């Protein structure tokens, strides 16, 4: 099976996760795919294949050398984003992309004018959607690449490597992917998530991240007799939103700049809930942002009463750079592997997070490597087949270099 067929098979499964769920995984449909994936790994001859009750899959490609080598791992997540439907995906291959507009379906155009990333893939074979769902390259492309690389190494015993562990998990898109990951069971010296974007991406800096829910309790009375009685939670929600800096949102920031992002509003006169995420690469500024949210809440409490507005702020993950800096050999290996694969590295901070961030703080240094997907979380998502093939090559080179068998 080639990587294209493998990836297209994976897109048949709807694995969308849910922020509203308390279960693990957050959606039962993720387990349907997990069971399929476990069976595939067994059929491909990997050893120690297991899936726990929460859908975390672990497997091993045994070492084919007696030389003492580090045990390394490769990890990807199989859930897709709650931001866009992942059901009934209809992928299509655009052969030898010519650099022009791509008609996904009637009236839905993916254009390099709007998405200039397309220009870097002229001449390549692109897998696109029909414009009604996401594609799921985030991160089923990563899974396909890892499995394909393990199969290639299995079939090329002349390429010597140490023990390699692989793992696939649910719920990364809702920030929960690493929460139940068993680092001790995984048993690696270090690992890599295959969850980056376009070719060459190598990331070991990410946002510090927190969620914030602002709860507002209003009082509803007849509007004709509301003076000094009504507390309109809708209006207070608007007042709170206006207190946050308008130039510190995702729409107005880039690079190392942090932000407050309003994810959603659920409001009526009696109750309102504002859902935010807070992001910053700098740990001190991150703490300042959380404090600022608290200060805004306190000001409104002084104005309307302590019971009227409250905040629930929870840390989600931290900047993995703290844990990678003392282990820069794991980055040096990737840089060499990319060089041997003819890939130009693009080392940039992630304006987001990966499971590797949380895993790094659990004692498993885990930077992030490109998987090839572009325009994640929406109907204009695409992935280049040639980029996925390069990712497979990078994985196999990492395994060779780690074992000391590089050319």
């Amino acid at each position: 099976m080639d990587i294209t067929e493998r990836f297209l098979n994976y897109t048949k499964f709807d694995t969308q996760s849910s922020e509203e769920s308390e279960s693990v995984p957050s959606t039962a449909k993720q387990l349907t795919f997990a069971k399929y994936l476990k069976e595939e790994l067994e059929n491909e001859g990997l050893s120690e294949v297991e899936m726990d009750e929460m859908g975390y899959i672990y497997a091993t490609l045994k070492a084919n050398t007696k030389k003492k080598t580090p045990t390394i791992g490769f990890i990807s997540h199989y859930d897709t984003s709650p931001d866009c439907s992942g059901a009934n995906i209809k992928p299509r291959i655009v052969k030898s992309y010519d650099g022009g507009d791509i008609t996904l379906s009637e009236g839905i155009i993916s254009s390099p004018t709007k998405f200039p990333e397309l220009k870097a893939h002229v001449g390549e074979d692109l897998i696109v959607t029909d414009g009604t769902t996401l594609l799921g390259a985030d991160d089923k492309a990563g899974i396909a690449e890892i499995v394909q690389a393990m199969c290639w190494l299995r079939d090329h015993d002349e390429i010597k490597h140490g023990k390699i562990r692989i793992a696939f998990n649910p719920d990364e898109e809702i920030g929960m992917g690493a929460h139940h990951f068993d680092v001790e069971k995984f048993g690696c010296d270090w690992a890599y998530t295959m969850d980056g974007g376009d070719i060459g991406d190598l990331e070991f800096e990410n946002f510090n991240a927190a969620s914030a829910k602002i709860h507002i309790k209003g009082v509803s009375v007849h509007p004709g007799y509301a003076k000094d009685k009504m507390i309109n939670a809708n209006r207070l929600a608007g007042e709170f939103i206006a207190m946050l800096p308008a130039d510190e949102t995702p729409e107005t920031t880039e690079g190392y700049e942090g932000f407050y992002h309003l994810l959603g509003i659920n409001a009526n006169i009696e109750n309102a809930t504002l859902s935010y995420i807070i992001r910053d690469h700098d740990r001190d500024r991150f703490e300042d942002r959380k404090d600022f949210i608290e200060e805004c809440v306190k000001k409104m409490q002084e104005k309307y009463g302590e019971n009227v507005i409250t905040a629930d702020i929870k840390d989600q993950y931290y900047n993995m750079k703290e844990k990678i800096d003392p282990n820069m050999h794991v980055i040096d290996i990737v840089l060499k592997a990319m060089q041997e694969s003819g890939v130009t590295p693009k080392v940039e901070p992630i304006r987001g997070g990966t499971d590797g961030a949380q895993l790094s703080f659990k004692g498993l240094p885990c930077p992030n490597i490109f998987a090839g997907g572009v325009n994640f979380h929406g109907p204009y998502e695409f992935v280049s087949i040639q980029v996925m093939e390069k990712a497979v090559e990078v994985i196999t080179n990492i395994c060779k270099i780690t074992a000391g068998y590089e050319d």
Side-chain angles (χ1 to χ4, degrees), residues 359-374:
L359 293 172
S360 293
F361 280 86
K362 293 177 77 170
L364 180 68
C366 196
N368 192 40
I369 300 173
F370 72 93
V374 182

PDB file of all heavy atoms in Angstrom, residues 359-374:
ATOM      1  N   LEU A 359       3.936  16.594  26.367  1.00  0.00           N
ATOM      2  CA  LEU A 359       4.783  15.421  26.593  1.00  0.00           C
ATOM      3  C   LEU A 359       6.184  15.825  27.039  1.00  0.00           C
ATOM      4  O   LEU A 359       6.809  15.140  27.860  1.00  0.00           O
ATOM      5  CB  LEU A 359       4.855  14.573  25.323  1.00  0.00           C
ATOM      6  CG  LEU A 359       3.543  13.899  24.921  1.00  0.00           C
ATOM      7  CD1 LEU A 359       3.679  13.242  23.552  1.00  0.00           C
ATOM      8  CD2 LEU A 359       3.113  12.875  25.966  1.00  0.00           C
ATOM      9  N   SER A 360       6.672  16.941  26.509  1.00  0.00           N
ATOM     10  CA  SER A 360       7.999  17.418  26.926  1.00  0.00           C
ATOM     11  C   SER A 360       8.020  17.733  28.411  1.00  0.00           C
ATOM     12  O   SER A 360       9.015  17.485  29.105  1.00  0.00           O
ATOM     13  CB  SER A 360       8.393  18.657  26.113  1.00  0.00           C
ATOM     14  OG  SER A 360       8.590  18.344  24.752  1.00  0.00           O
ATOM     15  N   PHE A 361       6.907  18.262  28.931  1.00  0.00           N
ATOM     16  CA  PHE A 361       6.829  18.553  30.360  1.00  0.00           C
ATOM     17  C   PHE A 361       6.526  17.311  31.197  1.00  0.00           C
ATOM     18  O   PHE A 361       6.603  17.352  32.427  1.00  0.00           O
ATOM     19  CB  PHE A 361       5.789  19.648  30.615  1.00  0.00           C
ATOM     20  CG  PHE A 361       6.313  21.029  30.334  1.00  0.00           C
ATOM     21  CD1 PHE A 361       6.260  21.564  29.057  1.00  0.00           C
ATOM     22  CD2 PHE A 361       6.894  21.789  31.347  1.00  0.00           C
ATOM     23  CE1 PHE A 361       6.759  22.822  28.781  1.00  0.00           C
ATOM     24  CE2 PHE A 361       7.401  23.058  31.085  1.00  0.00           C
ATOM     25  CZ  PHE A 361       7.333  23.579  29.799  1.00  0.00           C
ATOM     26  N   LYS A 362       6.195  16.212  30.528  1.00  0.00           N
ATOM     27  CA  LYS A 362       6.015  14.938  31.223  1.00  0.00           C
ATOM     28  C   LYS A 362       7.283  14.091  31.183  1.00  0.00           C
ATOM     29  O   LYS A 362       7.275  12.925  31.556  1.00  0.00           O
ATOM     30  CB  LYS A 362       4.843  14.158  30.614  1.00  0.00           C
ATOM     31  CG  LYS A 362       3.489  14.823  30.837  1.00  0.00           C
ATOM     32  CD  LYS A 362       2.362  14.065  30.163  1.00  0.00           C
ATOM     33  CE  LYS A 362       1.961  12.819  30.922  1.00  0.00           C
ATOM     34  NZ  LYS A 362       0.712  12.211  30.388  1.00  0.00           N
ATOM     35  N   GLY A 363       8.380  14.695  30.692  1.00  0.00           N
ATOM     36  CA  GLY A 363       9.662  14.010  30.705  1.00  0.00           C
ATOM     37  C   GLY A 363      10.069  13.388  29.388  1.00  0.00           C
ATOM     38  O   GLY A 363      11.072  12.678  29.326  1.00  0.00           O
ATOM     39  N   LEU A 364       9.315  13.644  28.313  1.00  0.00           N
ATOM     40  CA  LEU A 364       9.630  13.089  27.002  1.00  0.00           C
ATOM     41  C   LEU A 364       9.885  14.236  26.023  1.00  0.00           C
ATOM     42  O   LEU A 364       8.940  14.783  25.455  1.00  0.00           O
ATOM     43  CB  LEU A 364       8.472  12.221  26.501  1.00  0.00           C
ATOM     44  CG  LEU A 364       8.654  11.561  25.127  1.00  0.00           C
ATOM     45  CD1 LEU A 364       9.751  10.494  25.177  1.00  0.00           C
ATOM     46  CD2 LEU A 364       7.339  10.960  24.634  1.00  0.00           C
ATOM     47  N   PRO A 365      11.158  14.640  25.833  1.00  0.00           N
ATOM     48  CA  PRO A 365      11.432  15.709  24.870  1.00  0.00           C
ATOM     49  C   PRO A 365      10.817  15.357  23.521  1.00  0.00           C
ATOM     50  O   PRO A 365      11.041  14.261  22.999  1.00  0.00           O
ATOM     51  CB  PRO A 365      12.964  15.743  24.807  1.00  0.00           C
ATOM     52  CG  PRO A 365      13.410  15.165  26.127  1.00  0.00           C
ATOM     53  CD  PRO A 365      12.395  14.117  26.459  1.00  0.00           C
ATOM     54  N   CYS A 366      10.051  16.294  22.933  1.00  0.00           N
ATOM     55  CA  CYS A 366       9.214  15.893  21.799  1.00  0.00           C
ATOM     56  C   CYS A 366       8.932  17.071  20.861  1.00  0.00           C
ATOM     57  O   CYS A 366       7.826  17.623  20.874  1.00  0.00           O
ATOM     58  CB  CYS A 366       7.909  15.293  22.327  1.00  0.00           C
ATOM     59  SG  CYS A 366       6.988  14.356  21.109  1.00  0.00           S
ATOM     60  N   PRO A 367       9.900  17.463  20.025  1.00  0.00           N
ATOM     61  CA  PRO A 367       9.651  18.533  19.055  1.00  0.00           C
ATOM     62  C   PRO A 367       8.705  18.069  17.944  1.00  0.00           C
ATOM     63  O   PRO A 367       8.361  16.889  17.846  1.00  0.00           O
ATOM     64  CB  PRO A 367      11.042  18.849  18.515  1.00  0.00           C
ATOM     65  CG  PRO A 367      11.814  17.592  18.731  1.00  0.00           C
ATOM     66  CD  PRO A 367      11.278  16.975  19.972  1.00  0.00           C
ATOM     67  N   ASN A 368       8.330  19.006  17.087  1.00  0.00           N
ATOM     68  CA  ASN A 368       7.292  18.773  16.085  1.00  0.00           C
ATOM     69  C   ASN A 368       7.865  18.914  14.672  1.00  0.00           C
ATOM     70  O   ASN A 368       8.563  19.874  14.373  1.00  0.00           O
ATOM     71  CB  ASN A 368       6.166  19.777  16.295  1.00  0.00           C
ATOM     72  CG  ASN A 368       4.928  19.437  15.499  1.00  0.00           C
ATOM     73  OD1 ASN A 368       4.547  18.285  15.375  1.00  0.00           O
ATOM     74  ND2 ASN A 368       4.278  20.456  14.954  1.00  0.00           N
ATOM     75  N   ILE A 369       7.537  17.953  13.807  1.00  0.00           N
ATOM     76  CA  ILE A 369       8.046  17.910  12.434  1.00  0.00           C
ATOM     77  C   ILE A 369       6.877  18.027  11.460  1.00  0.00           C
ATOM     78  O   ILE A 369       5.766  17.587  11.744  1.00  0.00           O
ATOM     79  CB  ILE A 369       8.814  16.593  12.192  1.00  0.00           C
ATOM     80  CG1 ILE A 369       9.996  16.470  13.165  1.00  0.00           C
ATOM     81  CG2 ILE A 369       9.315  16.501  10.751  1.00  0.00           C
ATOM     82  CD1 ILE A 369      10.703  15.123  13.097  1.00  0.00           C
ATOM     83  N   PHE A 370       7.144  18.561  10.289  1.00  0.00           N
ATOM     84  CA  PHE A 370       6.093  18.750   9.284  1.00  0.00           C
ATOM     85  C   PHE A 370       5.414  17.428   8.898  1.00  0.00           C
ATOM     86  O   PHE A 370       6.052  16.388   8.804  1.00  0.00           O
ATOM     87  CB  PHE A 370       6.656  19.418   8.031  1.00  0.00           C
ATOM     88  CG  PHE A 370       7.553  18.536   7.175  1.00  0.00           C
ATOM     89  CD1 PHE A 370       7.018  17.805   6.114  1.00  0.00           C
ATOM     90  CD2 PHE A 370       8.924  18.457   7.415  1.00  0.00           C
ATOM     91  CE1 PHE A 370       7.835  17.006   5.313  1.00  0.00           C
ATOM     92  CE2 PHE A 370       9.747  17.659   6.623  1.00  0.00           C
ATOM     93  CZ  PHE A 370       9.200  16.928   5.569  1.00  0.00           C
ATOM     94  N   ALA A 371       4.101  17.520   8.695  1.00  0.00           N
ATOM     95  CA  ALA A 371       3.341  16.394   8.153  1.00  0.00           C
ATOM     96  C   ALA A 371       2.797  16.725   6.767  1.00  0.00           C
ATOM     97  O   ALA A 371       2.333  15.829   6.062  1.00  0.00           O
ATOM     98  CB  ALA A 371       2.198  16.011   9.085  1.00  0.00           C
ATOM     99  N   GLY A 372       2.828  18.005   6.388  1.00  0.00           N
ATOM    100  CA  GLY A 372       2.505  18.385   5.022  1.00  0.00           C
ATOM    101  C   GLY A 372       1.183  19.070   4.809  1.00  0.00           C
ATOM    102  O   GLY A 372       0.950  19.659   3.748  1.00  0.00           O
ATOM    103  N   GLY A 373       0.287  19.000   5.768  1.00  0.00           N
ATOM    104  CA  GLY A 373      -1.019  19.628   5.598  1.00  0.00           C
ATOM    105  C   GLY A 373      -0.920  21.147   5.600  1.00  0.00           C
ATOM    106  O   GLY A 373      -0.078  21.733   6.287  1.00  0.00           O
ATOM    107  N   VAL A 374      -1.805  21.790   4.833  1.00  0.00           N
ATOM    108  CA  VAL A 374      -1.841  23.250   4.738  1.00  0.00           C
ATOM    109  C   VAL A 374      -3.306  23.696   4.858  1.00  0.00           C
ATOM    110  O   VAL A 374      -4.219  23.002   4.407  1.00  0.00           O
ATOM    111  CB  VAL A 374      -1.246  23.739   3.402  1.00  0.00           C
ATOM    112  CG1 VAL A 374      -1.232  25.266   3.335  1.00  0.00           C
ATOM    113  CG2 VAL A 374       0.170  23.189   3.211  1.00  0.00           C
TER     114      VAL A 374
END
